[in-house]
Amino acid sequence: MRQPSAGRTPPSDPVTGDLRAAADATLARLVGDPGARLRTDQWRAIEALVVERRRALVVQRTGWGKSAVYFVATALLRERGSGPTVIVSPLLALMRNQIGAAARAGVRARSITSANIEEWDAVRAEVEAGSVDVLLVSPERLNNPDFRDQVLPRLAATTGLLVVDEAHCISDWGHDFRPDYRRLRTLLAGLPPGVPVLATTATANARVSADIAEQLGTGADTAEALVLRGPLDRESLRLSVLRLPDAAHRLAWLDGALSRLPGSGIIYTLTVAAAEEVAAHLTGRGHRVSAYTGRTEHADRQAAEDDLLGNRVKALVATSALGMGFDKPDLGFVVHLGSPSSPIAYYQQVGRAGRGVAHAEALLLPGPEDEAIWRYFSSLAFPPEDQVRRTLQVLAEAGRPLSLPALEPLVDLRRSRLEMMLKVLDVDGAVRRERGGWTATGVPWEYDAARYERVAAQREAERQAMRAYAASPGCRMEFLRRQLDDEEAAPCGRCDVCAGSPFGPEVEPAALDAARGELARPGTPVEPRRMWPSGLPAAGVDLKGRIPAGEQAAPGRALGRLSDIGWGNRLRPLLAPGAPDAPVPDDVVDAVVAVLADWARAPDGWASGAPGAPGRPVGVVTVGSASRPRLVRSLGERIAAVGRIPLLGTVEREPGAASAGRGNSAQRVRALNGSLRLPPESAEAVRAAGGSLLLVDDFTDSGWTLALAARLLRTSGAGEVLPLVLAVQG
């Protein structure tokens, strides 16, 4: 589709009905059905955009046809000489689906994302030449300095329609708030008069809808935004909750039920570790599945999506990385191995299934680890005021842009949390992203503590609602619809409460034995730190570049990950804040011994005889613990006794040393550097032993305590230092 050429006869006046006929014809091409006709609300939204040039918010269930609204509107606007449509879309999977859908409607779509950097110049040229009808951009592009300063002004001046897809992300009341979406307020305010704007979502309750509608009105000289909300029932979905005794039963149930679930689908987990663990077990049991997480490489993600679309796998075992906008109309089931923290997020994810089939299953299998995982993610909220003020002070005093690695040694926040905070401050006008980093603008800024507290309270209310959903004696779909303020919510007649479920809790004994064996298998690698964090000299720590080989820890082992569904469930209560400090339990010791035996026999283990393998450990050293000294000490003693090697001592913290906290790597190294010590008698024992040592601790998160302790031991005369911990965070 191209802009109309000079001399072309303009279309008839829309009041004649020709516009509706043209809209229906475009829809027919889009869906491949000559008899397709627009729904009443679809046409009302298109009419508002094309004829009235209004701003509109469409809140409709997944599969209703929100994308049809903007593709049909684009076709009509382009036929009438408007500039290209710009769609702000949050996920690459969603963009790929949208580009294919646009082509079916005769609409040429291109994208500018982190995945096609080499195409950006060509795409920009095509947009300027008028040969692109739809340009899809990720919200992160909106504040990329080059894109913001060079591309965005031209787009704003020539855009014929702006579409904000998955618009709940624009509201910090929404379940999936993304600071980059707030940059849209600037873009909205800069649009020329009469440019229509469409926001779409399936997961916005009344509060979120009001927030989005208010932001749509930013800078607009048109009437109040049109809001079209429809009923959110999903007639094809049967919702069920299945409570099982433990993780082994849940994994065994999934193993037995997977082949009976209709078509192909998605198995959602709450963590990357769980997704990888479940995918590996199901693959080993003969099922065709693939893992799909934020850790999956881009090419592998695309291949996994293609395999699911082509029904070459039964399921993707995925985190929320596979979420909004993934479009497979015949997806037959969604199983959640663990509860999302929000019923609105849950509704969004189960909405992937049953879009183009008469029946689909959505099953929730909650687990005891859910609460701990929710607590972890809730700890990543907006930072307290003192940390925000410190960041603004550092930027103001720098006098130049500071990158995230340069900021980290000076601000005690992890990189992901620091970046999120800076994006919020950017939207608020207090900082600005420039080439080379971030700068303070000097604009006065107020810490809105009351709002942040209200958002935190809202998140807790959502978690409580998710608990209530799993335990509800009433209709499941009605519960979710009420959470989304659907005024037409009523019992669905399909869910396990309304009509019963064909899926019971029974599991095959062989499947249960296999699951127990998988989950009981101990051991996970602990990769050592190889490089010092950037910017340490600026923080007064004279360490930089690669850690010398003679000061590094060797690769280590952990009994399990706190986020997995096997040993994680056993270790979380043991290591939880406030848990009583007691000697290590016997079953944990037995599992640690099994880890040591497997480690010794590994291709790079000390019993392998491989070149470069570490020698057999000649002693054990523990890491001093402020919160669990009895646990760590007893673990070191038990390992030494089993291995018939001496316990040589403890790496201690200097009295009064600052806590390493849970901040970023640079701050942890700064706190730990110089604060660890080896008492003289322990140092002498290490020098006398002279060989490889096991370095024992209860837990590792960043790996820096192990790295600094290993450096101290090696410079004190130890050979290889082999970290051994009960748990890792990831």
Side-chain angles (χ1 to χ4, degrees):
M1 188 183 308
R2 303 291 180 262
Q3 295 191 40
S5 58
R8 181 173 177 175
T9 303
S12 303
D13 190 291
V15 298
T16 65
D18 288 351
L19 187 66
R20 175 63 188 266
D24 284 335
T26 303
L27 176 71
R29 293 197 303 272
L30 178 67
V31 301
D33 178 3
R37 295 293 181 268
L38 291 161
R39 295 187 175 95
T40 300
D41 273 2
Q42 285 177 316
W43 168 243
R44 178 69 191 99
I46 292 167
E47 185 180 43
L49 298 170
V50 177
V51 179
E52 301 166 16
R53 303 300 176 103
R54 291 183 65 180
R55 299 186 175 194
L57 168 63
V58 173
V59 183
Q60 297 282 358
R61 61 180 175 77
T62 303
W64 176 85
K66 295 180 290 293
S67 61
V69 171
Y70 50 75
F71 286 134
V72 172
T74 293
L76 299 176
L77 286 166
R78 291 290 276 165
E79 287 289 340
R80 284 151 181 77
S82 292
T85 291
V86 175
I87 301 177
V88 181
S89 184
L91 293 178
L92 297 180
L94 177 56
M95 290 189 186
R96 287 192 289 271
N97 289 333
Q98 287 169 324
I99 289 172
R104 292 194 296 273
V107 173
R108 177 172 167 77
R110 298 296 304 272
S111 65
I112 293 181
T113 74
S114 59
N116 69 341
I117 296 174
E118 70 284 353
E119 299 177 7
W120 286 6
D121 289 342
V123 172
R124 291 174 189 171
E126 291 174 21
V127 171
E128 291 177 0
S131 60
V132 172
D133 301 310
V134 171
L135 178 66
L136 295 110
V137 298
S138 64
E140 291 75 19
R141 288 300 98 207
L142 298 177
N143 205 31
N144 173 277
D146 287 343
F147 188 88
R148 180 195 64 211
D149 298 336
Q150 299 177 26
V151 179
L152 201 56
R154 293 199 299 272
L155 275 182
T158 60
T159 294
L161 169 65
L162 175 65
V163 177
V164 183
D165 209 0
E166 305 296 349
H168 57 273
C169 296
I170 204 173
S171 172
D172 57 6
W173 299 108
H175 74 275
D176 196 21
F177 168 58
R178 302 190 183 192
D180 289 299
Y181 261 75
R182 286 280 177 153
R183 177 59 50 191
L184 284 164
R185 290 189 297 186
T186 303
L187 178 58
L188 286 163
L191 290 175
V195 174
V197 178
L198 172 67
T200 67
T201 180
T203 50
N205 58 18
R207 185 176 208 169
V208 174
S209 296
D211 192 17
I212 298 170
E214 180 183 356
Q215 294 186 54
L216 284 181
T218 302
D221 58 2
T222 57
E224 181 180 334
L226 171 69
V227 179
L228 297 171
R229 287 181 62 91
L232 299 177
D233 190 18
R234 292 293 311 279
E235 295 89 347
S236 63
L237 280 183
R238 175 165 56 192
L239 300 172
S240 301
V241 176
L242 192 60
R243 289 192 174 276
L244 294 163
D246 52 34
H249 279 80
R250 285 184 288 145
L251 199 53
W253 181 92
L254 192 56
D255 178 13
L258 191 56
S259 61
R260 295 188 287 119
L261 290 168
S264 55
I266 301 171
I267 301 166
Y268 278 112
T269 66
L270 299 186
T271 67
V272 171
E276 293 174 347
E277 187 177 23
V278 171
H281 177 68
L282 292 177
T283 298
R285 296 286 292 169
H287 299 285
R288 292 180 298 122
V289 301
S290 297
Y292 187 108
T293 74
R295 208 153 57 193
T296 307
E297 294 291 338
H298 171 69
D300 293 334
R301 281 200 202 190
Q302 187 161 358
E305 292 169 18
D306 291 342
D307 284 344
L308 183 60
L309 290 169
N311 294 316
R312 292 185 291 274
V313 293
K314 179 67 175 180
L316 296 186
V317 186
T319 62
S320 58
L322 182 69
M324 294 179 293
F326 180 76
D327 185 14
K328 179 176 168 60
D330 63 342
L331 201 73
F333 65 89
V334 171
V335 175
H336 278 78
L337 211 60
S339 297
S341 60
S342 160
I344 300 174
Y346 182 66
Y347 175 89
Q348 186 265 327
Q349 289 179 349
V350 298
R352 304 271 63 79
R355 298 177 63 173
V357 293
H359 172 74
E361 298 285 350
L363 295 112
L364 173 65
L365 281 62
E369 68 274 10
D370 300 350
E371 297 275 349
I373 294 168
W374 294 352
R375 285 194 298 271
Y376 172 75
F377 285 115
S378 70
S379 72
L380 306 180
F382 196 74
E385 184 172 6
D386 61 333
Q387 291 180 312
V388 182
R389 296 291 179 195
R390 170 62 181 164
T391 305
L392 291 172
Q393 178 187 354
V394 168
L395 290 174
E397 293 173 350
R400 60 182 177 84
L402 291 181
S403 65
L404 290 172
L407 267 173
E408 281 183 311
L410 309 174
V411 179
D412 193 12
L413 287 168
R414 292 192 177 191
R415 182 169 299 188
S416 58
R417 202 172 179 204
L418 175 60
E419 184 176 25
M420 181 273 289
M421 180 191 74
L422 288 169
K423 288 177 177 179
V424 172
L425 293 175
D426 187 0
V427 173
D428 290 344
V431 304
R432 179 177 170 84
R433 188 178 176 192
E434 307 280 2
R435 276 179 171 266
W438 299 83
T439 59
T441 64
V443 173
W445 180 81
E446 293 297 325
Y447 187 86
D448 194 349
R451 182 176 180 86
Y452 302 139
E453 289 170 4
R454 289 196 300 271
V455 171
Q458 173 68 17
R459 295 290 179 265
E460 176 52 38
E462 290 170 355
R463 291 189 286 271
Q464 182 55 41
M466 200 64 213
R467 298 182 191 104
Y469 171 81
S472 175
C475 172
R476 309 282 185 197
M477 182 60 76
E478 181 181 16
F479 185 100
L480 294 180
R481 293 175 68 183
R482 291 195 184 282
Q483 288 293 310
L484 283 154
D485 296 321
D486 184 352
E487 295 179 355
E488 299 181 30
C492 69
R494 302 179 305 275
C495 70
D496 59 342
V497 174
C498 291
S501 173
F503 298 99
E506 300 80 15
V507 298
E508 291 289 334
L512 183 58
D513 288 344
R516 284 174 171 161
E518 175 69 28
L519 297 179
R521 184 177 298 117
T524 190
V526 175
E527 291 300 323
R529 289 289 187 170
R530 305 294 192 193
M531 301 287 294
W532 295 115
S534 301
L536 283 176
V541 179
D542 190 22
L543 297 171
K544 60 182 179 180
R546 178 172 290 277
I547 302 173
E551 298 179 9
Q552 291 181 15
R557 292 293 189 277
L559 177 54
R561 298 180 182 275
L562 288 184
S563 58
D564 68 30
I565 60 174
W567 274 100
N569 280 336
R570 176 68 180 93
L571 294 171
R572 273 189 297 274
L574 195 66
L575 302 178
D581 182 29
V584 61
D586 289 343
D587 66 319
V588 174
V589 173
D590 292 342
V592 169
V593 171
V595 170
L596 285 167
D598 288 344
W599 190 3
R601 294 190 296 267
D604 58 347
W606 54 85
S608 67
R616 184 181 186 277
V618 298
V620 175
V621 175
T622 59
V623 177
S625 172
S627 57
R628 289 180 284 270
R630 293 182 66 196
L631 177 70
V632 177
R633 179 75 182 183
S634 67
L635 178 60
E637 290 171 345
R638 298 287 296 272
I639 291 171
V642 170
R644 298 179 181 177
I645 54 179
L647 179 63
L648 300 177
T650 299
V651 175
E652 300 176 348
R653 296 291 297 272
E654 292 283 359
S659 170
R662 295 186 63 187
N664 61 56
S665 289
Q667 290 292 326
R668 292 192 186 196
V669 171
R670 186 171 72 165
L672 289 165
N673 185 53
S675 71
L676 299 180
R677 70 185 186 95
L678 200 59
E681 62 275 15
S682 298
E684 179 56 35
V686 166
R687 279 193 295 273
S692 297
L693 302 178
L694 286 171
L695 178 62
V696 174
D697 203 356
D698 55 351
F699 170 77
T700 185
D701 183 359
S702 68
W704 285 115
T705 298
L706 295 176
L708 271 295
R711 179 173 182 254
L712 177 60
L713 291 171
R714 298 206 68 179
T715 56
S716 298
E720 294 278 3
V721 175
L722 309 170
L724 177 66
V725 298
L726 293 180
V728 293
Q729 177 68 60

